[in-house]
Amino acid sequence: MSLPLEGLSAIVTGAGRGLGRAEALELARLGAAVVVNDYGQPGRDGSGEASAAPAEEVAEEIRAAGGQAVAHLGDISDFETARALVDLATGTYGKLDILVNNAGILRDRMVFSMSEDEWDSVIRVHLKGHFNTTRFASVHWRERSKAAGGPVYGRVVNTSSEAFLAGSAGQPNYAAAKGGIVGLTTSTALALGRYGVTANVICPRARTRMTEDVFAAIPAIERGAEPAEGRLDPLAPEHVSPLVGYLASPAAAGVTGQLLVVHGGMVAVVERPRVAAKFDSAKDTFSYEELDGLLSPYYASRPPNETFASTEVLGLKRG
């Protein structure tokens, strides 16, 4: 019996640790050949000996388990680095089938305290990084589709966050970047559907090195108790990676342009925004007075803390 991703190749960005590592290992377990990307460089271990870069360690872990993997060291927020990453996948495996965008950084601060660099760096790595890899992968799929005269196999899985859905007061840069990724994903789904490509976005909750301080910063998120012996941490990345494997698979051919929240043995499908109310001007255009007469009573009748932010998503849990 063949594995669901057998014969397919994948890129996972930010895959040296945390979520990306778990996702790369899961795709490999399901049969994919994986390009493991991470910015981390080789270093020194506790004894002072040279140590491999995290991406190389994950690639070796996949190969040791009988899979196929190569490492790519580089910052995908750089346009040409993203081009080289996609070229490595197509040059090594003959084609690219799956792109999982996961790489990111945090520079948390309140909006009134944030520096320009703290804003720019997070937008660059998350949002521009997602665009860069998607741009070159989409060129590859479009050219393959034209050569084949029909649809080809292509999967994009992007990474957003509950910080976008619910708002996070101390993460305006991160929330903005993650919101932009949702817009990029829905646009990509519409643009590439004709070529056979799907694009979806996940909002994972996981305890990783990057997010170790996030749960304290957003009190509504349950930190999760220490797991019982032999049980998986409720915030382990391994709760997220199976959904990535599914979205990358042939079984998800009909799933595109979707946003899913995932953590702790739970997956929630988030519905698109819907129009809550509509007001028409009595004349050709509104006046201030008419808007005051219509909108002020409407908002006065709504719960005072109800905004576009979906804070209830922070309370989602298995059970």
Side-chain angles (χ1 to χ4, degrees), residues 216-284:
I218 309 177
I221 290 183
E222 293 186 6
R223 295 176 60 85
E226 289 299 317
E229 186 175 352
R231 299 291 299 274
L232 191 63
D233 182 344
L235 294 177
E238 288 75 16
H239 287 295
V240 176
S241 52
L243 176 61
V244 173
Y246 167 75
L247 292 173
S249 75
V255 182
T256 193
Q258 301 297 310
L259 188 154
L260 302 99
V261 175
V262 54
H263 57 81
M266 181 218 75
V267 172
V269 177
V270 178
E271 194 171 36
R272 63 177 175 83
R274 295 184 180 276
V275 177
K278 176 179 173 289
F279 303 93
D280 296 320
S281 171
K283 299 180 180 179
D284 288 342

Short mmCIF file of all heavy atoms in Angstrom, two decimals, residues 216-284:
data_model
loop_
_atom_site.label_atom_id
_atom_site.label_comp_id
_atom_site.label_asym_id
_atom_site.label_seq_id
_atom_site.Cartn_x
_atom_site.Cartn_y
_atom_site.Cartn_z
N ALA A 216 1.68 33.74 27.84
CA ALA A 216 1.59 34.65 28.97
C ALA A 216 1.09 36.02 28.53
O ALA A 216 0.42 36.73 29.28
CB ALA A 216 2.95 34.78 29.64
N ALA A 217 1.40 36.39 27.26
CA ALA A 217 1.01 37.71 26.75
C ALA A 217 -0.47 37.77 26.37
O ALA A 217 -1.05 38.84 26.28
CB ALA A 217 1.87 38.08 25.55
N ILE A 218 -1.09 36.60 26.13
CA ILE A 218 -2.50 36.55 25.75
C ILE A 218 -3.22 35.69 26.79
O ILE A 218 -3.33 34.47 26.63
CB ILE A 218 -2.69 35.96 24.34
CG1 ILE A 218 -1.78 36.68 23.33
CG2 ILE A 218 -4.14 36.07 23.90
CD1 ILE A 218 -1.86 36.11 21.94
N PRO A 219 -3.70 36.29 27.88
CA PRO A 219 -4.24 35.51 29.00
C PRO A 219 -5.39 34.61 28.63
O PRO A 219 -5.61 33.59 29.28
CB PRO A 219 -4.70 36.61 29.98
CG PRO A 219 -3.91 37.82 29.62
CD PRO A 219 -3.71 37.73 28.13
N ALA A 220 -6.16 34.93 27.60
CA ALA A 220 -7.33 34.11 27.25
C ALA A 220 -6.93 32.74 26.73
O ALA A 220 -7.72 31.82 26.70
CB ALA A 220 -8.19 34.82 26.21
N ILE A 221 -5.68 32.61 26.29
CA ILE A 221 -5.22 31.31 25.81
C ILE A 221 -4.84 30.44 26.99
O ILE A 221 -4.07 30.85 27.85
CB ILE A 221 -4.01 31.46 24.86
CG1 ILE A 221 -4.45 32.10 23.56
CG2 ILE A 221 -3.34 30.15 24.59
CD1 ILE A 221 -3.35 32.24 22.54
N GLU A 222 -5.37 29.25 27.02
CA GLU A 222 -5.00 28.32 28.07
C GLU A 222 -3.58 27.83 27.84
O GLU A 222 -3.22 27.37 26.76
CB GLU A 222 -5.95 27.12 28.08
CG GLU A 222 -7.37 27.49 28.47
CD GLU A 222 -8.25 26.28 28.60
OE1 GLU A 222 -7.73 25.15 28.49
OE2 GLU A 222 -9.44 26.45 28.81
N ARG A 223 -2.75 27.95 28.86
CA ARG A 223 -1.36 27.54 28.71
C ARG A 223 -1.23 26.03 28.61
O ARG A 223 -0.30 25.52 28.02
CB ARG A 223 -0.53 28.06 29.90
CG ARG A 223 -0.45 29.57 29.95
CD ARG A 223 0.28 30.03 31.20
NE ARG A 223 1.64 29.52 31.24
CZ ARG A 223 2.66 30.13 30.66
NH1 ARG A 223 2.46 31.24 29.98
NH2 ARG A 223 3.87 29.63 30.75
N GLY A 224 -2.17 25.32 29.17
CA GLY A 224 -2.12 23.87 29.11
C GLY A 224 -1.34 23.30 30.28
O GLY A 224 -0.23 23.75 30.60
N ALA A 225 -1.92 22.34 30.96
CA ALA A 225 -1.23 21.72 32.09
C ALA A 225 -0.12 20.83 31.58
O ALA A 225 -0.09 20.42 30.42
CB ALA A 225 -2.24 20.91 32.91
N GLU A 226 0.81 20.54 32.48
CA GLU A 226 1.87 19.61 32.10
C GLU A 226 1.23 18.26 31.76
O GLU A 226 0.37 17.77 32.50
CB GLU A 226 2.87 19.46 33.25
CG GLU A 226 3.73 20.69 33.46
CD GLU A 226 4.58 21.02 32.25
OE1 GLU A 226 5.15 20.10 31.65
OE2 GLU A 226 4.64 22.20 31.87
N PRO A 227 1.63 17.65 30.66
CA PRO A 227 1.00 16.39 30.26
C PRO A 227 1.33 15.26 31.22
O PRO A 227 2.41 15.24 31.82
CB PRO A 227 1.61 16.14 28.87
CG PRO A 227 2.91 16.86 28.89
CD PRO A 227 2.69 18.07 29.73
N ALA A 228 0.37 14.35 31.38
CA ALA A 228 0.63 13.17 32.18
C ALA A 228 1.70 12.33 31.50
O ALA A 228 1.92 12.43 30.30
CB ALA A 228 -0.66 12.36 32.34
N GLU A 229 2.37 11.53 32.28
CA GLU A 229 3.45 10.70 31.75
C GLU A 229 2.94 9.83 30.59
O GLU A 229 1.90 9.19 30.70
CB GLU A 229 4.03 9.81 32.85
CG GLU A 229 5.25 9.02 32.41
CD GLU A 229 5.88 8.25 33.54
OE1 GLU A 229 5.46 8.44 34.70
OE2 GLU A 229 6.79 7.46 33.26
N GLY A 230 3.65 9.89 29.48
CA GLY A 230 3.26 9.11 28.31
C GLY A 230 2.24 9.79 27.43
O GLY A 230 1.90 9.26 26.36
N ARG A 231 1.75 10.96 27.84
CA ARG A 231 0.76 11.69 27.04
C ARG A 231 1.43 12.87 26.33
O ARG A 231 2.35 13.47 26.85
CB ARG A 231 -0.38 12.21 27.91
CG ARG A 231 -1.17 11.12 28.63
CD ARG A 231 -1.98 10.28 27.64
NE ARG A 231 -2.95 11.08 26.93
CZ ARG A 231 -4.17 11.35 27.39
NH1 ARG A 231 -4.54 10.91 28.58
NH2 ARG A 231 -5.01 12.06 26.66
N LEU A 232 0.91 13.20 25.17
CA LEU A 232 1.45 14.30 24.38
C LEU A 232 1.04 15.64 24.99
O LEU A 232 -0.11 15.83 25.39
CB LEU A 232 0.95 14.20 22.94
CG LEU A 232 1.59 15.11 21.89
CD1 LEU A 232 3.06 14.80 21.73
CD2 LEU A 232 0.86 14.92 20.55
N ASP A 233 1.98 16.56 25.08
CA ASP A 233 1.71 17.91 25.53
C ASP A 233 0.55 18.48 24.70
O ASP A 233 0.58 18.42 23.47
CB ASP A 233 2.97 18.76 25.34
CG ASP A 233 2.83 20.20 25.82
OD1 ASP A 233 1.69 20.67 26.04
OD2 ASP A 233 3.87 20.86 25.97
N PRO A 234 -0.49 19.05 25.32
CA PRO A 234 -1.61 19.61 24.55
C PRO A 234 -1.18 20.68 23.56
O PRO A 234 -1.88 20.93 22.58
CB PRO A 234 -2.52 20.20 25.63
CG PRO A 234 -2.20 19.43 26.86
CD PRO A 234 -0.74 19.11 26.77
N LEU A 235 -0.03 21.31 23.80
CA LEU A 235 0.46 22.34 22.89
C LEU A 235 1.67 21.86 22.08
O LEU A 235 2.44 22.67 21.57
CB LEU A 235 0.82 23.60 23.68
CG LEU A 235 -0.36 24.31 24.35
CD1 LEU A 235 0.12 25.50 25.15
CD2 LEU A 235 -1.38 24.75 23.31
N ALA A 236 1.82 20.56 21.94
CA ALA A 236 2.94 20.03 21.16
C ALA A 236 2.71 20.29 19.67
O ALA A 236 1.58 20.20 19.18
CB ALA A 236 3.07 18.53 21.40
N PRO A 237 3.78 20.59 18.92
CA PRO A 237 3.65 20.79 17.47
C PRO A 237 3.09 19.58 16.75
O PRO A 237 2.52 19.71 15.67
CB PRO A 237 5.09 21.07 17.03
CG PRO A 237 5.78 21.59 18.25
CD PRO A 237 5.16 20.86 19.39
N GLU A 238 3.25 18.40 17.35
CA GLU A 238 2.76 17.18 16.71
C GLU A 238 1.24 17.13 16.61
O GLU A 238 0.69 16.28 15.89
CB GLU A 238 3.28 15.95 17.47
CG GLU A 238 4.76 15.69 17.28
CD GLU A 238 5.66 16.64 18.04
OE1 GLU A 238 5.16 17.34 18.97
OE2 GLU A 238 6.87 16.71 17.73
N HIS A 239 0.53 18.02 17.32
CA HIS A 239 -0.91 18.13 17.13
C HIS A 239 -1.25 18.85 15.83
O HIS A 239 -2.36 18.72 15.31
CB HIS A 239 -1.55 18.90 18.30
CG HIS A 239 -1.61 18.14 19.59
ND1 HIS A 239 -2.37 17.00 19.75
CD2 HIS A 239 -1.02 18.36 20.78
CE1 HIS A 239 -2.25 16.55 20.98
NE2 HIS A 239 -1.43 17.35 21.62
N VAL A 240 -0.31 19.63 15.33
CA VAL A 240 -0.54 20.47 14.15
C VAL A 240 -0.14 19.76 12.86
O VAL A 240 -0.82 19.86 11.84
CB VAL A 240 0.23 21.80 14.29
CG1 VAL A 240 0.10 22.65 13.03
CG2 VAL A 240 -0.24 22.55 15.53
N SER A 241 0.97 19.04 12.91
CA SER A 241 1.56 18.49 11.68
C SER A 241 0.65 17.53 10.91
O SER A 241 0.70 17.52 9.67
CB SER A 241 2.90 17.81 11.99
OG SER A 241 2.78 16.87 13.04
N PRO A 242 -0.22 16.72 11.54
CA PRO A 242 -1.10 15.87 10.74
C PRO A 242 -2.04 16.65 9.83
O PRO A 242 -2.36 16.22 8.72
CB PRO A 242 -1.87 15.07 11.78
CG PRO A 242 -0.96 15.02 12.96
CD PRO A 242 -0.31 16.36 12.98
N LEU A 243 -2.51 17.83 10.29
CA LEU A 243 -3.38 18.65 9.44
C LEU A 243 -2.61 19.15 8.22
O LEU A 243 -3.14 19.19 7.11
CB LEU A 243 -3.95 19.83 10.22
CG LEU A 243 -4.81 20.81 9.41
CD1 LEU A 243 -6.03 20.11 8.82
CD2 LEU A 243 -5.23 22.00 10.26
N VAL A 244 -1.36 19.53 8.42
CA VAL A 244 -0.52 19.95 7.29
C VAL A 244 -0.35 18.80 6.31
O VAL A 244 -0.46 18.98 5.09
CB VAL A 244 0.85 20.45 7.80
CG1 VAL A 244 1.79 20.74 6.63
CG2 VAL A 244 0.67 21.70 8.65
N GLY A 245 -0.13 17.60 6.83
CA GLY A 245 -0.01 16.43 5.96
C GLY A 245 -1.28 16.18 5.17
O GLY A 245 -1.24 15.85 3.98
N TYR A 246 -2.43 16.34 5.83
CA TYR A 246 -3.70 16.16 5.13
C TYR A 246 -3.88 17.19 4.02
O TYR A 246 -4.24 16.86 2.89
CB TYR A 246 -4.86 16.23 6.11
CG TYR A 246 -6.20 16.35 5.41
CD1 TYR A 246 -6.78 15.26 4.78
CD2 TYR A 246 -6.86 17.58 5.34
CE1 TYR A 246 -7.98 15.37 4.10
CE2 TYR A 246 -8.06 17.70 4.67
CZ TYR A 246 -8.62 16.60 4.05
OH TYR A 246 -9.79 16.72 3.37
N LEU A 247 -3.66 18.48 4.35
CA LEU A 247 -3.86 19.54 3.36
C LEU A 247 -2.89 19.40 2.19
O LEU A 247 -3.18 19.88 1.09
CB LEU A 247 -3.69 20.91 4.02
CG LEU A 247 -4.77 21.29 5.04
CD1 LEU A 247 -4.41 22.59 5.74
CD2 LEU A 247 -6.14 21.40 4.38
N ALA A 248 -1.77 18.75 2.42
CA ALA A 248 -0.78 18.53 1.35
C ALA A 248 -1.10 17.32 0.49
O ALA A 248 -0.46 17.10 -0.53
CB ALA A 248 0.61 18.38 1.96
N SER A 249 -2.10 16.55 0.87
CA SER A 249 -2.35 15.26 0.26
C SER A 249 -3.37 15.32 -0.87
O SER A 249 -4.14 16.28 -1.00
CB SER A 249 -2.85 14.27 1.32
OG SER A 249 -4.21 14.56 1.64
N PRO A 250 -3.44 14.26 -1.69
CA PRO A 250 -4.49 14.18 -2.72
C PRO A 250 -5.89 14.19 -2.14
O PRO A 250 -6.84 14.65 -2.79
CB PRO A 250 -4.18 12.84 -3.40
CG PRO A 250 -2.73 12.60 -3.16
CD PRO A 250 -2.46 13.15 -1.80
N ALA A 251 -6.05 13.72 -0.90
CA ALA A 251 -7.37 13.68 -0.28
C ALA A 251 -7.98 15.07 -0.12
O ALA A 251 -9.20 15.22 -0.07
CB ALA A 251 -7.29 12.99 1.09
N ALA A 252 -7.12 16.10 -0.06
CA ALA A 252 -7.60 17.48 0.14
C ALA A 252 -7.70 18.25 -1.16
O ALA A 252 -7.68 19.49 -1.14
CB ALA A 252 -6.67 18.19 1.12
N ALA A 253 -7.87 17.56 -2.27
CA ALA A 253 -7.95 18.24 -3.57
C ALA A 253 -9.10 19.24 -3.63
O ALA A 253 -9.02 20.24 -4.35
CB ALA A 253 -8.09 17.21 -4.68
N GLY A 254 -10.16 19.00 -2.89
CA GLY A 254 -11.32 19.88 -2.92
C GLY A 254 -11.32 20.94 -1.83
O GLY A 254 -12.31 21.64 -1.65
N VAL A 255 -10.21 21.03 -1.10
CA VAL A 255 -10.11 21.99 0.01
C VAL A 255 -9.17 23.11 -0.40
O VAL A 255 -7.97 22.90 -0.56
CB VAL A 255 -9.58 21.31 1.29
CG1 VAL A 255 -9.54 22.31 2.45
CG2 VAL A 255 -10.41 20.09 1.65
N THR A 256 -9.68 24.31 -0.58
CA THR A 256 -8.82 25.43 -0.96
C THR A 256 -9.43 26.74 -0.50
O THR A 256 -10.66 26.86 -0.35
CB THR A 256 -8.56 25.45 -2.48
OG1 THR A 256 -7.49 26.37 -2.77
CG2 THR A 256 -9.80 25.84 -3.26
N GLY A 257 -8.58 27.72 -0.22
CA GLY A 257 -9.03 29.02 0.26
C GLY A 257 -9.62 28.96 1.66
O GLY A 257 -10.41 29.82 2.04
N GLN A 258 -9.20 27.98 2.45
CA GLN A 258 -9.78 27.76 3.77
C GLN A 258 -8.82 28.19 4.88
O GLN A 258 -7.61 28.16 4.72
CB GLN A 258 -10.12 26.28 3.96
CG GLN A 258 -11.09 25.73 2.94
CD GLN A 258 -12.45 26.40 3.01
OE1 GLN A 258 -13.04 26.51 4.09
NE2 GLN A 258 -12.95 26.85 1.87
N LEU A 259 -9.40 28.56 6.03
CA LEU A 259 -8.63 28.88 7.22
C LEU A 259 -9.06 27.94 8.34
O LEU A 259 -10.25 27.83 8.64
CB LEU A 259 -8.85 30.34 7.64
CG LEU A 259 -7.96 30.89 8.75
CD1 LEU A 259 -7.83 32.41 8.63
CD2 LEU A 259 -8.48 30.55 10.15
N LEU A 260 -8.08 27.28 8.95
CA LEU A 260 -8.37 26.30 9.98
C LEU A 260 -7.50 26.58 11.21
O LEU A 260 -6.30 26.81 11.10
CB LEU A 260 -8.10 24.87 9.49
CG LEU A 260 -8.88 24.44 8.24
CD1 LEU A 260 -7.99 24.55 7.00
CD2 LEU A 260 -9.38 23.00 8.37
N VAL A 261 -8.13 26.54 12.38
CA VAL A 261 -7.42 26.64 13.65
C VAL A 261 -7.13 25.22 14.12
O VAL A 261 -8.00 24.35 14.06
CB VAL A 261 -8.27 27.39 14.70
CG1 VAL A 261 -7.58 27.39 16.06
CG2 VAL A 261 -8.53 28.82 14.23
N VAL A 262 -5.91 24.99 14.63
CA VAL A 262 -5.54 23.63 15.03
C VAL A 262 -4.63 23.65 16.25
O VAL A 262 -3.69 24.43 16.32
CB VAL A 262 -4.86 22.87 13.86
CG1 VAL A 262 -3.67 23.66 13.31
CG2 VAL A 262 -4.43 21.48 14.28
N HIS A 263 -4.97 22.82 17.22
CA HIS A 263 -4.11 22.62 18.39
C HIS A 263 -4.74 21.55 19.27
O HIS A 263 -5.96 21.32 19.23
CB HIS A 263 -3.91 23.91 19.19
CG HIS A 263 -5.18 24.54 19.68
ND1 HIS A 263 -5.86 24.12 20.80
CD2 HIS A 263 -5.91 25.59 19.19
CE1 HIS A 263 -6.92 24.87 20.99
NE2 HIS A 263 -7.00 25.76 20.01
N GLY A 264 -3.92 20.87 20.05
CA GLY A 264 -4.39 20.00 21.11
C GLY A 264 -5.45 18.99 20.74
O GLY A 264 -6.40 18.79 21.49
N GLY A 265 -5.34 18.34 19.57
CA GLY A 265 -6.32 17.35 19.18
C GLY A 265 -7.62 17.94 18.67
O GLY A 265 -8.66 17.28 18.69
N MET A 266 -7.59 19.18 18.20
CA MET A 266 -8.79 19.87 17.73
C MET A 266 -8.48 20.62 16.44
O MET A 266 -7.42 21.22 16.29
CB MET A 266 -9.26 20.88 18.78
CG MET A 266 -10.52 21.64 18.40
SD MET A 266 -10.47 23.37 18.94
CE MET A 266 -9.32 24.07 17.75
N VAL A 267 -9.42 20.58 15.49
CA VAL A 267 -9.36 21.38 14.27
C VAL A 267 -10.69 22.11 14.14
O VAL A 267 -11.75 21.50 14.26
CB VAL A 267 -9.13 20.50 13.01
CG1 VAL A 267 -9.25 21.35 11.75
CG2 VAL A 267 -7.76 19.85 13.07
N ALA A 268 -10.63 23.43 13.93
CA ALA A 268 -11.84 24.23 13.75
C ALA A 268 -11.76 24.94 12.40
O ALA A 268 -10.75 25.56 12.07
CB ALA A 268 -11.99 25.26 14.87
N VAL A 269 -12.83 24.83 11.62
CA VAL A 269 -12.92 25.53 10.34
C VAL A 269 -13.51 26.91 10.61
O VAL A 269 -14.61 27.03 11.16
CB VAL A 269 -13.80 24.75 9.35
CG1 VAL A 269 -13.93 25.53 8.05
CG2 VAL A 269 -13.21 23.36 9.10
N VAL A 270 -12.79 27.96 10.23
CA VAL A 270 -13.24 29.33 10.48
C VAL A 270 -13.99 29.83 9.25
O VAL A 270 -13.48 29.79 8.13
CB VAL A 270 -12.05 30.26 10.78
CG1 VAL A 270 -12.53 31.69 10.99
CG2 VAL A 270 -11.32 29.76 12.03
N GLU A 271 -15.21 30.31 9.49
CA GLU A 271 -16.05 30.79 8.40
C GLU A 271 -15.60 32.17 7.95
O GLU A 271 -15.08 32.97 8.74
CB GLU A 271 -17.50 30.84 8.87
CG GLU A 271 -18.50 30.99 7.74
CD GLU A 271 -19.93 30.81 8.24
OE1 GLU A 271 -20.22 31.24 9.37
OE2 GLU A 271 -20.74 30.23 7.50
N ARG A 272 -15.82 32.46 6.69
CA ARG A 272 -15.47 33.78 6.16
C ARG A 272 -16.31 34.87 6.81
O ARG A 272 -17.40 34.60 7.33
CB ARG A 272 -15.69 33.81 4.65
CG ARG A 272 -17.14 33.61 4.23
CD ARG A 272 -17.29 33.73 2.73
NE ARG A 272 -18.64 33.42 2.28
CZ ARG A 272 -19.64 34.30 2.29
NH1 ARG A 272 -19.44 35.52 2.74
NH2 ARG A 272 -20.83 33.96 1.84
N PRO A 273 -15.82 36.12 6.80
CA PRO A 273 -16.63 37.22 7.34
C PRO A 273 -17.95 37.36 6.58
O PRO A 273 -18.00 37.14 5.36
CB PRO A 273 -15.75 38.45 7.12
CG PRO A 273 -14.37 37.92 6.99
CD PRO A 273 -14.50 36.58 6.35
N ARG A 274 -18.99 37.70 7.29
CA ARG A 274 -20.29 37.90 6.66
C ARG A 274 -20.81 39.29 7.01
O ARG A 274 -20.48 39.85 8.05
CB ARG A 274 -21.29 36.83 7.12
CG ARG A 274 -20.89 35.43 6.66
CD ARG A 274 -21.93 34.39 7.04
NE ARG A 274 -21.53 33.07 6.60
CZ ARG A 274 -21.74 32.59 5.37
NH1 ARG A 274 -22.36 33.34 4.48
NH2 ARG A 274 -21.36 31.38 5.05
N VAL A 275 -21.66 39.84 6.15
CA VAL A 275 -22.23 41.17 6.37
C VAL A 275 -23.25 41.09 7.49
O VAL A 275 -24.21 40.33 7.42
CB VAL A 275 -22.86 41.70 5.07
CG1 VAL A 275 -23.52 43.05 5.34
CG2 VAL A 275 -21.82 41.81 3.96
N ALA A 276 -23.03 41.88 8.54
CA ALA A 276 -23.93 41.86 9.69
C ALA A 276 -25.11 42.82 9.52
O ALA A 276 -26.20 42.59 10.06
CB ALA A 276 -23.16 42.23 10.95
N ALA A 277 -24.88 43.91 8.81
CA ALA A 277 -25.95 44.90 8.62
C ALA A 277 -25.63 45.73 7.39
O ALA A 277 -24.48 45.85 7.00
CB ALA A 277 -26.07 45.79 9.85
N LYS A 278 -26.67 46.31 6.78
CA LYS A 278 -26.50 47.15 5.59
C LYS A 278 -27.45 48.33 5.69
O LYS A 278 -28.61 48.18 6.08
CB LYS A 278 -26.79 46.33 4.33
CG LYS A 278 -26.74 47.12 3.03
CD LYS A 278 -27.02 46.20 1.85
CE LYS A 278 -27.14 46.97 0.54
NZ LYS A 278 -28.38 47.77 0.48
N PHE A 279 -26.93 49.51 5.36
CA PHE A 279 -27.73 50.72 5.44
C PHE A 279 -27.67 51.45 4.10
O PHE A 279 -26.60 51.55 3.49
CB PHE A 279 -27.20 51.65 6.55
CG PHE A 279 -27.17 50.99 7.90
CD1 PHE A 279 -26.02 50.35 8.35
CD2 PHE A 279 -28.30 50.99 8.72
CE1 PHE A 279 -25.99 49.75 9.60
CE2 PHE A 279 -28.27 50.40 9.96
CZ PHE A 279 -27.12 49.76 10.41
N ASP A 280 -28.79 51.94 3.63
CA ASP A 280 -28.86 52.68 2.37
C ASP A 280 -29.19 54.14 2.63
O ASP A 280 -30.06 54.47 3.46
CB ASP A 280 -29.94 52.08 1.45
CG ASP A 280 -29.59 50.66 1.04
OD1 ASP A 280 -28.41 50.40 0.76
OD2 ASP A 280 -30.51 49.81 1.00
N SER A 281 -28.54 55.01 1.88
CA SER A 281 -28.83 56.43 1.99
C SER A 281 -30.19 56.75 1.38
O SER A 281 -30.59 56.18 0.36
CB SER A 281 -27.75 57.24 1.27
OG SER A 281 -28.10 58.59 1.19
N ALA A 282 -30.89 57.67 2.01
CA ALA A 282 -32.20 58.10 1.48
C ALA A 282 -32.03 58.99 0.26
O ALA A 282 -32.95 59.15 -0.54
CB ALA A 282 -32.98 58.84 2.55
N LYS A 283 -30.82 59.57 0.10
CA LYS A 283 -30.53 60.43 -1.05
C LYS A 283 -29.40 59.80 -1.86
O LYS A 283 -29.11 58.61 -1.71
CB LYS A 283 -30.17 61.82 -0.56
CG LYS A 283 -31.29 62.49 0.23
CD LYS A 283 -30.90 63.88 0.72
CE LYS A 283 -32.03 64.51 1.51
NZ LYS A 283 -31.67 65.86 2.01
N ASP A 284 -28.77 60.62 -2.71
CA ASP A 284 -27.69 60.09 -3.54
C ASP A 284 -26.50 59.63 -2.71
O ASP A 284 -25.81 58.68 -3.07
CB ASP A 284 -27.23 61.15 -4.55
CG ASP A 284 -28.25 61.37 -5.66
OD1 ASP A 284 -29.13 60.49 -5.83
OD2 ASP A 284 -28.17 62.41 -6.34
#
